Amino acid sequence: MSESATPKSDIKDPAKNVSTPKREPKDLSVAPKRDSKDLTLPTKRDSKDAIKSRHDIFIQEIESMDDFWGSTFRAVYDKGEQDQFARQLDERIREHDRTIERMCSSHYQGFIDSIRELLQVRTEASKLKNEVVGVHDELVTQSRQLLSQGDALARARRRQANTEQGVAALMACLPVLEMYSKLRRQMAEQRFYPALKTLEQLEVLYLPRVADHRFAQAICESIPKMRDNIRAAAMSDVKDFLEEVRCESPRVGEAAMRHAAEQFFVERPPPARLQKRHTLAFLGVTAISPIALYGEDGDGEASDEEGAAQDLVNFSAVYRCLHIFTALGARDAFEEYYRKQRQKQCSLALQAPSGGLAQDSLVAVQDYLHGVAGFFVIEDHVLNTATGLVTRVSLDQLWDEALSELTGALQTHAACCTDPNLLLTFKRLIMVFSHTLRNYGFNVKPLHGLLLEVRDHYSEVLMQRWVGVFREIFDQDNYHPIEVDSPQEYEQITRVFPYTDAELARQPFPKTFPFSLMVPKVFSQVKEFIHSCLRFAEDLDLSQGERDDLLRQSTNVLLTRTLSGCLATLIRIPGLGLLQLIQITINTIHLEQASVYLEDVITKITGYNPKQDGGVQSTLLGRVMFKDIRAETEQQIYRQLQAKIDEFLELAAYDWLLPEPSGTASPFLVDLISFLEATFGAFTNLPAHVAQTACMSACQHVARQLRQMLLGEEARQLSTGALQQLNLDVIQCEQFAASEPVAGFEEGALLMCFADLRQLLDLVLEWDWATYFAEYGTPTSRYGRVTPATAVKVVERLRDADKRNMFSVLKRAERDKKKLQDTVLKQLRQLVAQVGSS
């Protein structure tokens, strides 16, 4: 077939099969893509070349984009150049068509040659197909023969394989049956852990080999039941073990605490200054050493060698059960069960014994601590030997919870105790318990805090006892200076109380100390209290500085609260006399001076030197306390002295209308002066300022009371004779003041107490009103202490007394006197009015 005869249906126009080549976008630097906003509207001035260049740019943008030409067309329409752009676009299309036609013409001949070669291949393919059909028929015939022979061979080999499989199955079953027989034997012998291992081997290694046999299935079905039996038996062993350790915990704790006590005794031998049983001879306070709590001999020899405390318990059951439950895959359940049961047992062990801390219940407290200590000793052993059954975190948490409850129970017991002996023994028990648990790695710091609280309670108990001691001393004291008749008695006092006086030492016997027997007794009892506090702090883990600070704090509390309270109660006793108050004041002076020796006693006991150790040492507050008590005692002395003066003044019976004085001082005033002279003579050993203050206050009080009598309501009418009698009494008081009953006053200081009364009496008795009115208000006035109001009151009462005599108006002198009184009263009232207006 010629080329011209090729039908149009088989040979298509090559030009139509050629796709239009896609133009590559031109460089934007040559023809950058512009947005419609970048193109300005055409103007009439735009030239054709400019329009053509712009349209070329639009066409390039259309050619470079395949899908979105909206912005380009919008820019064309915005400029109103759509017709021109369409013509230019048609021109560009025609140019592309010409390019396509040229390409099709150049490839047309090659396409025709390819079609011709394809027609030749069709003929060759038909020949090849016929040959393949012939080969296929021959292969089918040969294959049928081969399949027939293969089926016969397969049947023979299947028979051989079945025989071999039967033999192999029998060989595989024999080990399974042997292992199962071994398992039954171990179960019967209660060897559960080996049985569990055999069961595991049977299940993992042997039964999978015979899994298709029915007997294997029966064995598999019995395996869970066997595991349950093993688990139940192991759980029974665990319960037996838990019951055993619950019963044995007190014995374990006792053994552990005994070993700790032995170690404590070796590490902390009692000081040479303290015996094993410390005894206060005065109070009968006895402390039992840690070894004595556990039956040690008095010479401190250790008890016979014993094994470890945990050896009292057989832990094999718990180890065996742990391995069994681990093999069963139930280790977590076993651990949870064990810990939960032990927590319950811990709660039971922490149930505090009933009753307070008495002698009988102290044994119960000891058993209580044995049970708690035994519980945690066992748990610590399980922690170290049974890996993972008890963790350090869980054990520490359980210990913290138990310690909180234990501390509360012990606090309750200790708070009810008022016996120092039991508190000391209780403290030793806690120390041995703390030492035991610390040896096993438990945190026992809260127990040290408990010991500090018990120490505070112990101090309170001691202070309550010392309240009775001090009160007994005060009740038995006669409040008279100590008088000794021999050197032995003198040495006995100075040995108990550090007092040195060279002048007293030179005096012959009998000698008299300035203080009463109360002073050496109080001083010795304060020292005894310090030693008692030391007995509690002796075995605590305290440094020398801490022990020194502890003793100083306790002593300060004793001095500032106990002794101070007893002294304050003593000086407020209503029946206490003035001489007794004076002796108490003297006693406090010597106790204050001896406070420094108490500090030396504490320093000697503790051996603490802050200068060498670089620490700070607190100071005893005894000096301050004794100063406060002495100040209060001095006030009591002043009040007692004034009260005694008031008793004498109550005996005064002035006749304010007395016509003539008696010529001597009143008897009550003479007795008062004698009493004051004797009293101030007893002030010899008091500080000078105390005696001076007492003397000054006594004189001021006497002057104030005499003036009050003169100006009081009882003396509504006064006679000159009564004033002259009062003047004699004031002269007697002035003579006493001038005699300096207490040394150390400036000259005339005591006389100033009676100056107000003296000026008033001189003014009225001498009738020196001219001088009074002339010098009134001047600094050098002779009667500067007499106020016009006081003068008015006295003059009025004199005038009222004169009115009682009805015949006085008949005498010229009396009439002149009355006029003079009226004139004086008028002038005095004018002065009173001036003072009030100013």
Side-chain angles (χ1 to χ4, degrees):
M1 186 180 295
S2 62
E3 295 179 4
S4 59
T6 304
K8 292 183 179 180
S9 59
D10 295 333
I11 301 175
K12 299 180 180 179
D13 188 359
K16 295 182 180 180
N17 295 330
V18 179
S19 61
T20 304
K22 184 177 180 181
R23 289 181 176 272
E24 297 293 334
K26 296 183 179 181
D27 190 0
L28 297 178
S29 63
V30 178
K33 180 180 179 180
R34 301 184 182 181
D35 191 70
S36 59
K37 297 180 181 180
D38 297 333
L39 302 176
T40 59
L41 295 173
T43 60
K44 292 182 179 182
R45 285 187 242 176
D46 290 343
S47 63
K48 292 182 178 181
D49 294 337
I51 294 172
K52 187 176 184 303
S53 298
R54 190 162 53 249
H55 289 175
D56 289 340
I57 293 172
F58 290 158
I59 291 171
Q60 289 177 4
E61 290 178 356
I62 291 171
E63 290 175 347
S64 62
M65 292 186 296
D66 294 336
D67 51 356
F68 183 73
W69 303 318
S71 60
T72 304
F73 290 135
R74 188 182 302 113
V76 172
Y77 278 94
D78 289 344
K79 293 181 176 294
E81 300 173 355
Q82 57 269 23
D83 295 336
Q84 298 175 6
F85 180 74
R87 288 192 297 272
Q88 192 168 348
L89 186 60
D90 291 339
E91 183 181 352
R92 178 63 63 88
I93 291 171
R94 286 193 296 273
E95 181 180 350
H96 283 307
D97 288 342
R98 288 192 295 272
T99 301
I100 292 170
E101 288 177 358
R102 283 195 300 273
M103 291 179 63
C104 291
S105 297
S106 62
H107 294 87
Y108 178 75
Q109 185 60 41
F111 178 71
I112 295 299
D113 293 339
S114 297
I115 293 300
R116 188 177 295 111
E117 291 176 358
L118 185 59
L119 293 175
Q120 293 176 358
V121 171
R122 180 190 299 174
T123 304
E124 296 296 333
S126 298
K127 293 180 181 179
L128 181 58
K129 180 181 178 180
N130 294 332
E131 293 177 359
V132 170
V133 171
V135 172
H136 175 265
D137 295 339
E138 185 178 356
L139 286 174
V140 169
T141 303
Q142 296 295 330
S143 298
R144 288 174 180 171
Q145 296 177 0
L146 183 60
L147 288 175
S148 177
Q149 295 175 359
D151 289 339
L153 181 60
R155 285 192 296 270
R157 288 184 176 176
R158 277 197 299 271
R159 286 192 294 268
Q160 182 181 0
N162 289 337
T163 303
E164 294 175 354
Q165 289 177 0
V167 174
L170 291 175
M171 296 300 295
C173 290
L174 289 176
V176 174
L177 296 174
E178 290 176 356
M179 292 297 293
Y180 185 72
S181 177
K182 179 181 178 181
L183 175 62
R184 296 295 297 271
R185 187 168 56 255
Q186 291 173 343
M187 291 289 291
E189 296 173 356
Q190 295 186 353
R191 298 166 56 200
F192 297 115
Y193 185 69
L196 198 58
K197 288 295 184 182
T198 303
L199 187 60
E200 183 179 358
Q201 294 177 3
L202 184 63
E203 186 178 17
V204 175
L205 299 177
Y206 294 97
L207 284 179
R209 302 174 186 174
V210 294
D212 297 335
H213 299 283
R214 280 182 290 180
F215 79 90
Q217 294 176 1
I219 293 176
C220 290
E221 292 174 358
S222 65
I223 286 176
K225 184 177 181 180
M226 292 182 181
R227 282 202 174 95
D228 292 340
N229 293 336
I230 294 174
R231 181 168 183 168
M235 188 59 69
S236 178
D237 290 344
V238 171
K239 293 179 180 179
D240 294 340
F241 170 78
L242 292 174
E243 181 64 23
E244 180 186 359
V245 296
R246 187 182 69 84
C247 297
E248 294 295 332
S249 290
R251 289 185 57 216
V252 173
E254 181 181 2
M257 291 180 66
R258 179 181 293 107
H259 296 162
E262 293 172 0
Q263 182 182 5
F264 187 86
F265 182 77
V266 172
E267 293 179 354
R268 298 170 179 265
R273 64 177 178 274
L274 296 177
Q275 299 297 328
K276 186 180 66 176
R277 291 182 178 267
H278 308 291
T279 302
L280 297 181
F282 187 79
L283 296 176
V285 178
T286 304
I288 303 175
S289 67
I291 300 302
L293 291 172
Y294 292 96
E296 283 299 316
D297 296 332
D299 56 1
E301 293 181 358
S303 60
D304 295 336
E305 292 273 340
E306 294 183 2
Q310 53 268 24
D311 293 343
L312 297 174
V313 178
N314 184 8
F315 292 91
S316 60
V318 73
Y319 302 148
R320 182 171 60 252
C321 293
L322 178 61
H323 293 316
I324 290 173
F325 277 89
T326 302
L328 289 173
R331 180 187 179 98
D332 294 340
F334 173 71
E335 292 177 355
E336 182 180 359
Y337 174 79
Y338 177 83
R339 294 172 187 172
K340 186 178 297 184
Q341 293 300 317
R342 290 297 282 167
Q343 286 179 353
K344 293 180 180 179
Q345 291 184 357
C346 181
S347 300
L348 293 175
L350 289 171
Q351 290 181 357
S354 60
L357 189 59
Q359 188 65 43
D360 295 335
S361 64
L362 187 62
V363 178
V365 173
Q366 186 175 7
D367 295 339
Y368 172 66
L369 294 177
H370 287 168
V372 176
F375 176 88
F376 285 99
V377 168
I378 291 172
E379 286 299 282
D380 181 76
H381 184 72
V382 173
L383 170 68
N384 295 323
T385 55
T387 306
L389 181 57
V390 176
T391 63
R392 173 54 65 182
V393 175
S394 62
L395 184 56
D396 289 342
Q397 182 179 0
L398 184 61
W399 166 248
D400 292 338
E401 296 174 356
L403 189 58
S404 176
E405 188 172 351
L406 172 73
T407 304
L410 294 177
Q411 284 175 342
T412 303
H413 274 72
C416 301
C417 179
T418 58
D419 187 352
N421 290 329
L422 296 180
L423 283 175
L424 286 174
T425 307
F426 181 72
K427 165 243 183 181
R428 298 301 178 100
L429 275 175
I430 297 177
M431 289 183 59
V432 174
F433 176 80
S434 174
H435 191 68
T436 302
L437 272 299
R438 184 177 61 185
N439 290 342
Y440 285 93
F442 291 98
N443 176 29
V444 294
K445 288 184 178 179
L447 291 177
H448 292 288
L450 173 63
L451 286 174
L452 296 180
E453 294 181 8
V454 176
R455 179 206 67 193
D456 296 338
H457 181 62
Y458 175 78
S459 299
E460 291 294 330
V461 171
L462 289 181
M463 287 179 190
Q464 291 297 326
R465 290 206 169 190
W466 255 261
V467 168
V469 171
F470 290 140
R471 287 179 179 175
E472 184 178 356
I473 292 173
F474 297 157
D475 293 340
Q476 293 177 354
D477 195 32
N478 58 5
Y479 299 99
H480 288 287
I482 302 174
E483 185 174 342
V484 294
D485 299 327
S486 63
Q488 292 78 13
E489 294 179 357
Y490 181 85
E491 183 181 357
Q492 184 179 3
I493 296 297
T494 55
R495 185 173 60 252
V496 174
F497 182 73
Y499 178 75
T500 55
D501 187 353
E503 183 179 355
L504 180 63
R506 289 192 297 269
Q507 293 178 1
F509 289 98
K511 299 180 179 181
T512 302
F513 288 92
F515 46 82
S516 69
L517 194 60
M518 179 190 89
V519 173
K521 284 186 176 181
V522 169
F523 184 81
S524 63
Q525 287 306 317
V526 172
K527 290 199 301 182
E528 194 66 32
F529 176 84
I530 294 173
H531 285 283
S532 300
C533 292
L534 178 65
R535 289 179 178 90
F536 192 93
E538 191 64 41
D539 299 321
L540 297 179
D541 293 330
L542 299 177
S543 62
Q544 287 184 339
E546 292 174 339
R547 188 178 292 108
D548 183 88
D549 187 62
L550 171 63
L551 294 181
R552 290 177 182 273
Q553 288 179 2
S554 300
T555 306
N556 278 331
V557 175
L558 178 74
L559 294 175
T560 58
R561 193 178 72 184
T562 305
L563 181 56
S564 175
C566 292
L567 287 173
T569 303
L570 172 65
I571 63 178
R572 296 192 185 104
I573 295 177
L576 204 63
L578 183 61
L579 295 179
Q580 291 173 318
L581 288 172
I582 295 173
Q583 187 60 56
I584 292 173
T585 303
I586 297 171
N587 290 345
T588 56
I589 293 173
H590 291 282
L591 286 174
E592 176 188 349
Q593 295 172 354
S595 297
V596 64
Y597 295 103
L598 293 176
E599 296 190 2
D600 295 339
V601 169
I602 296 175
T603 302
K604 183 178 180 181
I605 290 175
T606 60
Y608 176 64
N609 189 344
K611 295 181 180 180
Q612 296 179 358
D613 301 335
V616 179
Q617 192 176 50
S618 59
T619 305
L620 292 182
L621 303 178
R623 300 178 67 88
V624 177
M625 185 275 295
F626 287 121
K627 286 181 180 178
D628 296 340
I629 290 296
R630 188 167 64 253
E632 188 174 353
T633 308
E634 292 169 1
Q635 294 299 323
Q636 286 290 108
I637 292 175
Y638 304 151
R639 286 192 287 269
Q640 286 271 6
L641 185 59
Q642 292 180 4
K644 197 67 177 176
I645 292 173
D646 290 339
E647 292 178 4
F648 283 97
L649 293 177
E650 288 176 358
L651 300 176
Y654 281 107
D655 182 6
W656 298 111
L657 297 177
L658 185 69
E660 295 293 335
S662 63
T664 59
S666 301
F668 81 91
L669 192 65
V670 175
D671 295 339
L672 174 60
I673 297 301
S674 300
F675 165 75
L676 292 177
E677 289 176 348
T679 300
F680 293 140
F683 281 21
T684 306
N685 294 322
L686 283 177
H689 74 279
V690 177
Q692 292 171 2
T693 304
C695 186
M696 178 66 73
S697 64
C699 293
Q700 290 175 348
H701 187 68
V702 171
R704 188 165 51 250
Q705 292 299 319
L706 291 176
R707 189 172 183 275
Q708 181 65 28
M709 291 180 185
L710 175 63
L711 301 177
E713 294 296 329
E714 295 181 357
R716 295 183 178 181
Q717 296 177 353
L718 294 175
S719 66
T720 304
L723 291 178
Q724 290 174 350
Q725 182 63 44
L726 180 62
N727 185 49
L728 292 176
D729 292 344
V730 173
I731 291 173
Q732 186 71 23
C733 293
E734 289 174 340
Q735 290 177 355
F736 169 75
S739 66
E740 293 188 4
V742 174
F745 283 110
E746 295 181 2
E747 184 177 359
L750 290 177
L751 289 175
M752 293 300 295
C753 298
F754 302 95
D756 293 355
L757 197 57
R758 168 51 54 202
Q759 291 183 10
L760 178 61
L761 292 174
D762 289 347
L763 175 62
V764 175
L765 292 176
E766 295 177 7
W767 208 252
D768 195 8
W769 296 107
T771 304
Y772 179 79
F773 291 126
E775 296 179 355
Y776 179 76
T778 61
T780 59
S781 174
R782 178 182 175 185
Y783 306 103
R785 292 178 176 271
V786 181
T787 62
T790 303
V792 167
K793 187 179 293 186
V794 174
V795 175
E796 285 179 345
R797 293 180 179 183
L798 286 172
R799 187 187 62 179
D800 293 342
D802 292 339
K803 288 180 180 180
R804 292 173 59 89
N805 187 2
M806 64 180 62
F807 300 104
S808 62
V809 295
L810 302 177
K811 297 180 180 180
R812 180 181 180 86
E814 294 296 334
R815 290 197 302 269
D816 294 341
K817 180 180 178 181
K818 182 178 181 301
K819 290 181 181 179
L820 183 59
Q821 288 176 348
D822 293 340
T823 303
V824 171
L825 282 174
K826 183 178 180 180
Q827 293 180 356
L828 287 173
R829 289 191 179 102
Q830 290 177 355
L831 290 178
V832 171
Q834 291 177 5
V835 173
S837 61
S838 61

